Amino acid sequence: MSINYTIHDSYSGAVINCTSEQNVLSAISLDGRCNVLVGCRGGGCGKCRIDVLDGQFECGKMSRRHAPEEAINKGKVLACRLYPRSDLIINTAPDIGK
Amino acid sequence: MKKGIMRPGHVQIRVLDIDEALEHYCGLLGLIEMDRDDQGRVYLKAWTEVDKYSVILTLADDPGMDFMGFKVTDETSLEKLHRDLLDHGVNVDVIPENELVDCGRRLRFISPSGHTFELYVDKKYTGKWGIEELNPEAWPRGLRGMRVQRFDHCLLYGDELDTTLDLFVNVLGFYLTEQVLDDDNSRIAQFLSLSNKAHDIAFIAHPEKGRFHHASFHLETWEDILRAADLISMTNTAIDIGPTRHGLTHGKTIYFFDPSGNRNEVFCGGDYSYPDHPPITWKSDQLGKAIFYHDREINERFLTVLT
Ligand code: FES
Ligand SMILES: [Fe+2]
């Protein structure tokens, strides 16, 4: 059963719906306001890196080069592999190392 | 000048999940699983290839290309290439036979661009898949997905294009078929061939060494390219661009991604070359058209999305 959550981007102010089954990149890239780059959509290239400031989430497999363990613990994750488990507050500012 | 290197033989690709990768490379592209080894690597071939495998998938936590191997005609040439590499100041590791299943001794070295290459003579001959040796039919039934015909080339991103060109031309016997020159006439893209193909290997200038842009697989016709694009949509596979045509090589193409973010290409047609042809040159102010002939605009993904 997929659950609906909202993703709040503190950078653009956008509030976007995303289900628990949907990767966050596919939700926020449809909304022109977020500053997010769409690359390989496979957790490999690091283009879609965002900050999760608050909320619960799960991640699929991601390249360690672009999402090392320490970064994941700080919420710096690849949006194409990010699945919400609660409402999330994210930051898509351009200076977070894309 | 030919040095006995015949053709691309294999590429080892790192993936984050083997089962997802197999669904992609076998179910979607139509490669055929041939073997597995005790490191968990999976060996795949395309149906027209005569040797046992050309793509090796290996599990890793960082996708990309481990190495690309070229097949050499005979042992004498391999030994000469070994000496020539050492004389050129290149370190060579000798990988014993059967480190890759059913493959002979491999000479491994790193190009100035930071990519790992291998040369070898022997790999088990299994013949084209699914058709008889004698009086062969046009194609085998039972192929899956796009039914790619062969692993064709890789495009790699790295620095030191000039020293890499010197190594590939003067030591390894490739010749330059196509290039992109910037305003100062320095080369920012170089396509190299061992054959009549527009490229067997290509490099694009990039500040980081050793990055992987794509592995490319050959299809016969434009109709096959359209069918491949349909399959990319049906399987909800991440697409990069296409179907379209490149200016460089004039091949008809689609770029898309495997489930670990490695880029693949399927292509057909395009330029042919002989060693007496002067290199086809594009200027960097036309780079958009050189890369994507119809859009005439480069997308940021082409330049920066790498594994
Ligand atoms: S788009 Fe490549 S890692 Fe997310
Ligand atoms: Fe290509």
Side-chain angles (χ1 to χ4, degrees), chain A residues 25 38-48 78 80:
Chain A
L25 181 65
V38 178
C40 68
R41 286 148 279 173
C45 74
K47 282 289 138 187
C48 65
L78 304 176
C80 67

Side-chain angles (χ1 to χ4, degrees), chain B residues 153-155 191 199 214-216 246 253 255 265 267:
Chain B
H153 64 268
C154 287
L155 171 58
F191 288 54
H199 50 347
H214 68 261
S216 183
H246 292 305
T253 179
Y255 284 154
E265 175 182 44
F267 86 103

Side-chain angles (χ1 to χ4, degrees), chain A residues 38-42 44-45 47 61-65 81, chain B residues 16-17 61-63 211 238-239 259-261 301 304-305:
Chain A
V38 178
C40 68
R41 286 148 279 173
C45 74
K47 282 289 138 187
K61 288 181 180 156
M62 299 182 285
S63 165
R64 185 164 295 172
R65 172 199 282 262
R81 294 294 205 181
Chain B
L16 300 171
D17 184 297
D61 53 26
D62 177 27
R211 306 308 302 276
I239 193 161
S260 304
R301 272 204 299 271
T304 63
V305 172

Side-chain angles (χ1 to χ4, degrees), chain B residues 181-239:
Chain B
L181 301 178
D182 72 9
D183 295 341
D184 317 323
N185 278 336
S186 60
R187 217 177 314 91
I188 59 168
Q190 54 198 25
F191 288 54
L192 295 150
S193 182
L194 295 158
S195 60
N196 287 144
K197 287 163 55 190
H199 50 347
D200 287 308
I201 181 80
F203 296 91
I204 286 186
H206 181 74
E208 282 168 294
K209 285 187 189 292
R211 306 308 302 276
F212 179 49
H213 191 272
H214 68 261
S216 183
F217 298 87
H218 190 258
L219 288 174
E220 194 174 358
T221 66
W222 173 238
E223 203 64 31
D224 293 331
I225 299 280
L226 294 183
R227 189 175 163 281
D230 292 342
L231 287 161
I232 287 170
S233 286
M234 288 178 200
T235 52
N236 201 23
T237 298
I239 193 161

Side-chain angles (χ1 to χ4, degrees), chain B residues 89-261:
Chain B
V90 178
N91 276 325
V92 179
D93 283 332
V94 181
I95 315 291
E97 64 179 320
N98 289 321
E99 193 276 335
L100 280 176
V101 167
D102 289 322
C103 186
R105 182 171 60 102
R106 290 131 64 207
L107 304 183
R108 183 181 283 179
F109 58 94
I110 299 177
S111 63
S113 61
H115 300 94
T116 302
F117 293 100
E118 300 185 341
L119 305 174
Y120 68 94
V121 172
D122 290 316
K123 190 184 283 173
K124 185 172 184 181
Y125 175 90
T126 55
K128 295 184 182 184
W129 184 86
I131 56 172
E132 300 294 324
E133 292 275 303
L134 277 175
N135 311 320
E137 301 297 352
W139 40 265
R141 285 181 279 185
L143 290 169
R144 302 174 65 191
M146 298 175 185
R147 310 166 187 154
V148 295
Q149 295 182 314
R150 64 167 188 261
F151 161 56
D152 189 86
H153 64 268
C154 287
L155 171 58
L156 305 175
Y157 274 38
D159 63 354
E160 297 212 37
L161 254 53
D162 286 336
T163 45
T164 300
L165 183 77
D166 179 42
L167 174 71
F168 272 77
V169 170
N170 296 316
V171 181
L172 302 174
F174 288 68
Y175 67 102
L176 182 67
T177 54
E178 312 213 1
Q179 60 181 346
V180 180
L181 301 178
D182 72 9
D183 295 341
D184 317 323
N185 278 336
S186 60
R187 217 177 314 91
I188 59 168
Q190 54 198 25
F191 288 54
L192 295 150
S193 182
L194 295 158
S195 60
N196 287 144
K197 287 163 55 190
H199 50 347
D200 287 308
I201 181 80
F203 296 91
I204 286 186
H206 181 74
E208 282 168 294
K209 285 187 189 292
R211 306 308 302 276
F212 179 49
H213 191 272
H214 68 261
S216 183
F217 298 87
H218 190 258
L219 288 174
E220 194 174 358
T221 66
W222 173 238
E223 203 64 31
D224 293 331
I225 299 280
L226 294 183
R227 189 175 163 281
D230 292 342
L231 287 161
I232 287 170
S233 286
M234 288 178 200
T235 52
N236 201 23
T237 298
I239 193 161
D240 188 6
I241 196 162
T244 183
R245 185 195 283 278
H246 292 305
L248 280 155
T249 78
H250 296 120
K252 288 151 271 184
T253 179
I254 311 172
Y255 284 154
F256 56 105
F257 295 99
D258 82 6
S260 304

